[in-house]
Amino acid sequence: MPYLIVFMTASNREEAVKIVRVLLEERLIACGNIVESVSSFFWWKGEIEEEQEALVIMKSNEKLFKKLSERVMELHSYDVPEILALPVVDGSPSYLDWLKDCLEPVN
């Protein structure tokens, strides 16, 4: 199963933690790294905006991305949250095995 790195920004650390915990509990991600306080500049409603946000870097796979994205949309405070997936082209075999184990349903 092809693995993904999924980027998401949140309004603050608390929101990021809430979303990451749900995604972990539902086994939609194997890991979520939260980088507190990133400066984000973006277009919103015709204006350039600047916000301090938390950046979340998550590890998942292609099979789970649709559900992961839907759950983020349900849990997130933004109207249009950032949910971007990049393919993992390679990785250490032991880490990729760990991802596989974490993303399999628990029996």
Side-chain angles (χ1 to χ4, degrees), residues 1-9 23 28-35 55-65 68-69 72 82-92 95-96 98-99 103:
M1 176 60 54
Y3 296 104
L4 301 173
I5 301 295
V6 181
F7 291 94
M8 177 192 77
T9 52
L23 298 176
L28 297 172
I29 61 172
C31 174
N33 307 107
I34 298 172
V35 181
L55 172 65
V56 183
I57 305 164
M58 300 175 282
K59 288 75 171 192
S60 190
N61 65 35
E62 286 183 351
K63 180 178 82 172
L64 298 172
F65 181 73
L68 183 164
S69 182
V72 169
E82 173 186 10
I83 311 166
L84 295 174
L86 302 174
V88 173
V89 296
D90 207 351
S92 70
Y95 190 81
L96 296 177
W98 174 79
L99 282 177
L103 296 170

Side-chain angles (χ1 to χ4, degrees), residues 8-21 32-38 52-56 78:
M8 177 192 77
T9 52
S11 60
N12 55 49
R13 182 183 192 286
E14 292 75 26
E15 180 175 46
V17 168
K18 178 186 84 169
I19 293 170
V20 165
R21 286 195 179 278
N33 307 107
I34 298 172
V35 181
E36 293 185 49
S37 194
V38 294
Q52 291 302 118
E53 298 179 297
L55 172 65
V56 183
Y78 291 174

